[in-house]
Amino acid sequence: DAGVTQSPTHLIKTRGQHVTLRCSPISGHKSVSWYQQVLGQGPQFIFQYYEKEERGRGNFPDRFSARQFPNYSSELNVNALLLGDSALYLCASSTMFQVEEAFFGQGTRLTVV
Amino acid sequence: AQKVTQAQTEISVVEKEDVTLDCVYETRDTTYYLFWYKQPPSGELVFLIRRNSFDEQNEISGRYSWNFQKSTSSFNFTITASQVVDSAVYFCALSGRAFTGANSKLTFGKGITLSVRP
């Protein structure tokens, strides 16, 4: 079975632009979470979606939004990019609403210039 | 609020040495889960172990062992006879029991960079 897949793997954007990151969970997993990992830090929780509904939101500005599709894949959108948004964005999928077993993708490395 | 502290930032050992990675956590939840993840240079977080708050038994898996002590809010990770392939960043994480969704997130520490030299 395929693991969690994220696309693209690398991305360079200019300040003020918009970006969309994509995540496909493991087959059968209905929960997707997004994390931001700034260089040298641990991942920070952004969103969790379960059964296409937002179930949790971290301390991020409204420029960050996400959604989950009927096939349980998910998109993370960031508007009006700032230099500080440069980070590794990780997607995690799990079978259940809770995170007892969360499996992570390899991430999308976003660089804002 | 939940918090995970990994006071060690970088550890360097010679191959075959034993090494212990420390993790201290804070939570008001009575039921919670503790995790360790390994992050190689490729970036993917690799799941190593999950322990729930009611299970204080130590666990051993090959060269890896974990010591959970609720009394000191610690969940330490020991690698025995370290190998070069163990070089990575290691994260300790905490999750609360999610009845309402408010605690469904993972709270990570800042990570410990382990370098194992030949």
Side-chain angles (χ1 to χ4, degrees), chain A residues 8 24 34-35 51-53 59-60 62 66 72 77 81 83 85 95 99 106 113:
Chain A
S24 293
W34 288 94
Y35 291 80
E51 287 284 17
K52 302 177 285 292
E53 291 187 8
N59 187 24
F60 279 82
D62 292 343
Y72 303 109
N77 295 284
L81 284 167
L83 295 180
D85 295 331
T95 55
V99 294
Q106 286 195 315
V113 296

Side-chain angles (χ1 to χ4, degrees), chain B residues 92-103:
Chain B
C92 180
L94 169 68
S95 172
R97 189 78 176 170
F99 291 110
T100 64
N103 293 321

Side-chain angles (χ1 to χ4, degrees), chain B:
Chain B
Q2 298 182 331
K3 184 178 179 181
V4 175
T5 301
Q6 296 181 264
Q8 304 152 310
T9 54
E10 294 184 19
I11 299 176
S12 181
V13 299
V14 176
E15 206 169 20
K16 298 184 182 178
E17 282 186 27
D18 298 347
V19 58
T20 296
L21 310 181
D22 298 334
C23 174
V24 174
Y25 63 92
E26 296 175 30
T27 181
R28 293 179 181 174
D29 293 333
T30 54
T31 304
Y32 51 89
Y33 291 86
L34 294 163
F35 302 77
W36 276 95
Y37 284 88
K38 175 181 180 180
Q39 188 175 44
S42 61
E44 181 178 358
L45 284 169
V46 178
F47 169 83
L48 295 177
I49 190 172
R50 176 191 75 245
R51 173 66 75 230
N52 74 52
S53 52
F54 294 109
D55 182 3
E56 289 193 68
Q57 283 190 343
N58 292 331
E59 181 158 339
I60 298 174
S61 176
R63 296 184 296 107
Y64 296 170
S65 62
W66 291 269
N67 181 271
F68 176 31
Q69 293 199 349
K70 216 168 175 178
S71 60
T72 56
S73 298
S74 65
F75 186 44
N76 297 336
F77 173 29
T78 297
I79 302 174
T80 302
S82 60
Q83 300 176 0
V84 172
V85 293
D86 296 327
S87 297
V89 182
Y90 291 85
F91 290 97
C92 180
L94 169 68
S95 172
R97 189 78 176 170
F99 291 110
T100 64
N103 293 321
S104 58
K105 67 178 182 180
L106 284 167
T107 298
F108 286 84
K110 291 186 176 181
I112 302 169
T113 300
L114 175 65
S115 299
V116 181
R117 308 187 306 277

Side-chain angles (χ1 to χ4, degrees), chain A residues 6 21 32-38 42-48 58 60 64 76 87-94 99 102-105 107-108, chain B residues 35 37 45 93-95 103-108:
Chain A
Q6 293 187 242
L21 311 181
V32 170
S33 298
W34 288 94
Y35 291 80
Q36 180 196 66
Q37 185 180 12
V38 174
Q44 297 288 315
F45 173 74
I46 310 175
F47 288 109
Q48 186 201 12
F60 279 82
F64 288 76
L76 175 69
L88 179 68
Y89 289 84
L90 293 162
C91 172
S93 80
S94 56
V99 294
F103 296 88
F104 284 82
T108 294
Chain B
F35 302 77
Y37 284 88
L45 284 169
L94 169 68
S95 172
N103 293 321
S104 58
K105 67 178 182 180
L106 284 167
T107 298
F108 286 84

Side-chain angles (χ1 to χ4, degrees), chain A residues 4-111:
Chain A
V4 180
T5 56
Q6 293 187 242
S7 62
T9 54
H10 294 81
L11 200 53
I12 299 175
K13 289 285 191 178
T14 304
R15 275 181 300 175
Q17 284 189 316
H18 162 91
V19 68
T20 297
L21 311 181
R22 296 177 175 83
C23 172
S24 293
I26 293 171
S27 178
H29 286 195
K30 297 182 179 180
S31 178
V32 170
S33 298
W34 288 94
Y35 291 80
Q36 180 196 66
Q37 185 180 12
V38 174
L39 194 63
Q41 300 292 317
Q44 297 288 315
F45 173 74
I46 310 175
F47 288 109
Q48 186 201 12
Y49 277 77
Y50 178 73
E51 287 284 17
K52 302 177 285 292
E53 291 187 8
E54 181 183 303
R55 298 300 184 116
R57 172 185 284 255
N59 187 24
F60 279 82
D62 292 343
R63 298 184 296 108
F64 288 76
S65 64
R67 55 180 175 170
Q68 187 176 33
F69 298 98
N71 66 354
Y72 303 109
S73 66
S74 177
E75 284 183 354
L76 175 69
N77 295 284
V78 186
N79 292 323
L81 284 167
L82 304 174
L83 295 180
D85 295 331
S86 296
L88 179 68
Y89 289 84
L90 293 162
C91 172
S93 80
S94 56
T95 55
M96 296 173 65
F97 177 50
Q98 297 177 25
V99 294
E100 286 89 341
E101 291 189 12
F103 296 88
F104 284 82
Q106 286 195 315
T108 294
R109 188 163 296 282
L110 172 65
T111 301

